[in-house]
Amino acid sequence: MARPESLEKRKYLHRILLVALCQSLFFGLILGRMYYLQHVRHDYYEQRSRSNHTKTVKITPQRGTIFGARDTPLASSSFRETAYLAPGYIEDDPHTRKRLCRELAHTLDLPLETVERKMTSG
């Protein structure tokens, strides 16, 4: 017949083994999940990370209006489309200048004479 001391030790031994088995299973699951995320799903998460870090967000800032003491606007922003012309960079060929003047006048919806005058005055 087994002694009561030995039965008590076996009972604790079974509990210790059960706790150790549960902990090993828990850490095994964590290691398996880490392997899955880092090796199996690596390409998916890498592509997702790149798309998150390389987005282009267009922000159009607007300046605020400056008001005077009587709530009258002193300065405000206005939006205009502009075009620049640098005559020094245009070829000296008269046919090229004339063709460019016609295209600019058509694009900007201005009279041809106005564009020619601006081009020669620069």
Side-chain angles (χ1 to χ4, degrees):
M1 184 170 215
R3 289 185 271 162
E5 245 176 56
S6 143
L7 287 176
E8 199 67 32
K9 284 183 182 178
R10 279 188 192 164
K11 190 161 95 176
Y12 287 123
L13 183 62
H14 289 313
R15 288 182 185 171
I16 290 171
L17 288 175
L18 182 64
V19 168
L21 179 67
C22 288
Q23 285 180 342
S24 297
L25 183 64
F26 177 71
F27 287 117
L29 288 173
I30 289 177
L31 288 174
R33 180 69 177 167
M34 286 172 50
Y35 177 81
Y36 174 76
L37 291 175
Q38 292 181 359
H39 294 282
V40 176
R41 299 285 293 191
H42 175 265
D43 294 333
Y44 168 74
Y45 286 113
E46 182 180 29
Q47 184 272 334
R48 193 169 170 191
S49 172
R50 287 185 195 280
S51 71
N52 283 342
H53 289 281
T54 57
K55 278 186 183 170
T56 302
V57 178
K58 186 175 181 180
I59 300 173
T60 54
Q62 292 184 350
R63 295 182 177 189
T65 303
I66 299 173
F67 292 99
R70 295 190 178 103
D71 259 356
T72 56
L74 298 176
S76 62
S77 297
S78 64
F79 296 99
R80 296 180 182 201
E81 293 182 3
T82 58
Y84 298 94
L85 181 65
Y89 291 103
I90 301 171
E91 293 178 19
D92 286 334
D93 181 31
H95 297 292
T96 304
R97 284 183 177 266
K98 190 71 169 172
R99 185 175 48 91
L100 184 60
C101 285
R102 276 195 308 266
E103 289 178 14
L104 282 173
H106 176 71
T107 304
L108 300 174
D109 199 27
L110 291 171
L112 181 61
E113 295 79 25
T114 306
V115 176
E116 286 175 342
R117 190 176 61 243
K118 297 266 187 194
M119 188 179 283
T120 56
S121 68

